[in-house]
Amino acid sequence: MPRRLLILGSTGSVGTQALETVAHSPEQIELVGLSAESSWEALIAQAQRHGVRRIALADPIAGARAAEAWTDGEVLSGPEGLVRLVVESGAELVLNALVGSAGLGPTVATLGEGIDLALANKESLVVGGELVTALAEATGAAIIPVDSEHSALHQLIAGERPGTIERLVITASGGPFRGRTREELANVTAADALQHPTWSMGGKITIDSATLMNKGLEVIEAHHLFGVPYDRIDVVVHPQSLVHAVVDLCDGASLAHLGHPDMRVPISYGLHYPERVDVPVPRLDLAQAGSLTFEPPDMETFACLRLARDAAAAGGTAPCVLNAANEVAVHAFLAGRLPFLGIAEVIEQTLERLPAKRIHAFESLYAADRDARAIAGELVESLAAAAG
Ligand code: MG
C-alpha cells in the first residue's frame, strides 16, 4: 500500500526538496495534495508534474488566479482552504514546510485529525508549543521534526530510556556575520545576509540565521519536542556545520549526530520514519574535514538569541509575540526598510509593550500574534522615519 502524503509549502526550499525525495523514494508514496502561500504558477506546475489533483493557496488572490488557470483539478484557497485540504486529504502523513506562524493553523488541523506530522515549520511550536504538543498527545499523532538539528536530536534520543537525557546541545553555523562587532553590523544589507556559509535555505530563515534568531526559535522548538527544560538546552557555534546536535547522557557519555549540511537527509528521515532509505548525498570523510571547531555564541552582538531565551523563560504569549515581531522586522529588513540591528530593536520593544499573558486557547495566540504585528509594524515605521 502506498503511503499517502500531503505537502504544505511545496514550492519553498524544503518543499521542493521533499518532492524530489518522494520522486526518488524506493517506497511508494502517493501525493494527495500540495499547497503554497502564493506562488500559484509553480504550484500548478508541481501538481501537473506529480499527478496531484488537489491544491491549496493560502493567499486568496493567488487561489483565484490558480482556479482560473488550472482546470485539471481542484483549487482551495485562503487559510481555511489549507485546513480543508488537510482535513479532507485522507493523508497518513503531512509535511508542513510553510514559513512563519501561518503554519500553525494547518499544524493544528493535522494533529487534530490524528495525522502524523513531519514538521519543518518551527514557528508552529514556537508560537503554540504547549497546545500543539498537548493536541498531539490527545489524538496520538506523532510529530517528526524535519529541522536538521531536531531531526538529529530525534535520532539520538530514539534509543535512550526516559530520564537518561541530561542536556541537549544544538549547533549554529554562526551565519554570515560570525565574529563581527555591532559597529560592523550597522550597515549590512539583505544581500550580505543572504550569503549563508553552509546551509542553502529560504530568505526568512537565512536572515534568522544571520541574527541567530533561528537558534533562539530552535531552542524553543527543542524544548517542546523533547520536554527538556530551557536551562538544559545549549547552543554552540560550530562553523563547519558537520555536527548537528549532541545529547549528554546521565553516565557522562555524549552522543553526536554528524553529516554534511544537506536538508535532503532530515527530509528523507521525516518522510520515511521509522524506516531509512538511501539518500544520494556526499558521505562524510572526517580526515578530509580536518578540524571541527566550537565556540560560545556572542549574545551581546546577536541580541536576538538572548531575546528568544528571555521570551522562552517568560512563557505564555511571549514566544508568540517574539515570533510575530521577528517576522515583521525580517520582512522590513528584506525590503530594505529596516537596518539589520533594527530587527532586534523592534522585537525587544514589542516584547516590552506586550507583557506575557497566559494562554487559554489558540484564540489567545491569534490575538497576541495580531497585536504584536500591529505594534512591530508601527515600530518599523517610526525607525524608518527616524533614519531617513
Ligand atoms: Mg535548523
Side-chain angles (χ1 to χ4, degrees):
M1 276 287 283
R3 198 157 186 216
R4 294 165 62 81
L5 170 69
L6 170 68
I7 301 180
L8 302 167
S10 61
T11 57
S13 171
V14 167
T16 311
Q17 294 181 74
L19 279 173
E20 287 302 309
T21 300
V22 169
H24 296 111
S25 175
E27 264 188 38
Q28 264 192 301
I29 299 176
E30 183 194 348
L31 283 168
V32 295
L34 296 173
S35 91
E37 171 59 35
S38 60
S39 26
W40 61 274
E41 285 164 304
L43 188 65
I44 289 173
Q46 287 182 336
Q48 284 169 332
R49 194 169 336 119
H50 297 276
V52 175
R53 307 305 292 268
R54 212 150 190 250
I55 61 174
L57 285 139
D59 173 22
I61 296 166
R65 295 224 171 100
E68 221 167 274
W70 191 53
T71 49
D72 296 342
E74 189 185 354
V75 181
L76 302 168
S77 86
E80 61 292 344
L82 260 62
V83 168
R84 249 188 81 198
L85 185 74
V86 169
V87 171
E88 298 171 0
S89 65
E92 291 156 287
L93 180 69
V94 169
L95 169 63
N96 185 348
L98 293 164
V99 176
S101 62
L104 177 62
T107 282
V108 170
T110 301
L111 297 173
E113 290 295 307
I115 304 171
D116 289 346
L117 176 67
L119 187 62
N121 175 257
K122 66 191 71 173
E123 291 87 350
S124 291
L125 286 172
V126 171
V127 171
E130 286 88 1
L131 297 182
V132 165
T133 50
L135 182 59
E137 209 154 290
T139 63
I143 304 176
I144 306 130
V146 175
D147 205 346
S148 61
E149 298 78 0
H150 305 75
S151 173
L153 289 171
H154 193 265
Q155 296 172 53
L156 290 170
I157 290 171
E160 300 305 326
R161 287 177 193 279
T164 60
I165 310 294
E166 217 164 70
R167 182 169 293 276
L168 308 180
V169 184
I170 55 179
T171 60
S173 71
F177 304 139
R178 183 177 62 89
R180 297 217 198 162
T181 62
R182 277 184 67 83
E183 292 69 45
E184 290 169 327
L185 292 177
N187 294 314
V188 296
T189 63
D192 299 329
L194 290 172
Q195 306 287 323
H196 194 277
T198 47
W199 294 94
S200 152
M201 304 171 293
K204 157 81 167 48
I205 189 168
T206 304
I207 303 306
D208 285 346
S209 298
T211 61
L212 291 198
M213 178 56 90
N214 186 48
K215 273 325 121 171
L217 301 180
E218 290 185 353
V219 166
I220 301 173
E221 184 185 9
H223 165 76
H224 292 299
L225 280 169
F226 305 111
V228 172
Y230 285 113
D231 60 358
R232 293 200 275 128
I233 305 175
D234 286 347
V235 172
V236 66
V237 173
H238 167 48
Q240 297 82 22
S241 298
L242 294 177
V243 176
H244 307 309
V246 176
V247 171
D248 293 343
L249 301 175
C250 58
D251 61 359
S254 293
L255 310 180
H257 182 284
L258 292 87
H260 283 291
D262 191 317
M263 281 308 291
R264 285 176 291 176
V265 178
I267 290 169
S268 176
Y269 179 81
L271 295 186
H272 294 103
Y273 178 81
E275 307 298 327
R276 282 184 191 268
V277 304
D278 291 350
V279 180
V281 294
R283 269 35 180 175
L284 185 61
D285 179 339
L286 283 174
Q288 197 187 29
S291 54
L292 304 179
T293 60
F294 301 90
E295 63 197 48
D298 176 356
M299 300 231 276
E300 293 308 311
T301 305
F302 299 96
C304 285
L305 180 54
R306 172 179 57 80
L307 291 172
R309 282 215 175 258
D310 290 349
T317 51
C320 172
V321 168
L322 169 98
N323 178 72
N326 182 54
E327 287 186 27
V328 170
V330 168
H331 189 257
F333 172 69
L334 282 169
R337 288 190 292 115
L338 187 69
F340 186 75
L341 295 174
I343 297 175
E345 217 173 311
V346 166
I347 297 166
E348 183 151 33
Q349 290 188 33
T350 306
L351 282 163
E352 276 167 17
R353 285 173 56 180
L354 288 174
K357 285 191 211 151
R358 294 189 60 172
I359 302 166
H360 303 288
F362 283 106
E363 280 63 35
S364 331
L365 296 172
Y366 295 125
D369 182 87
R370 238 185 353 258
D371 293 349
R373 277 169 201 279
I375 289 175
E378 287 169 22
L379 289 166
V380 165
E381 292 320 314
S382 63
L383 283 172

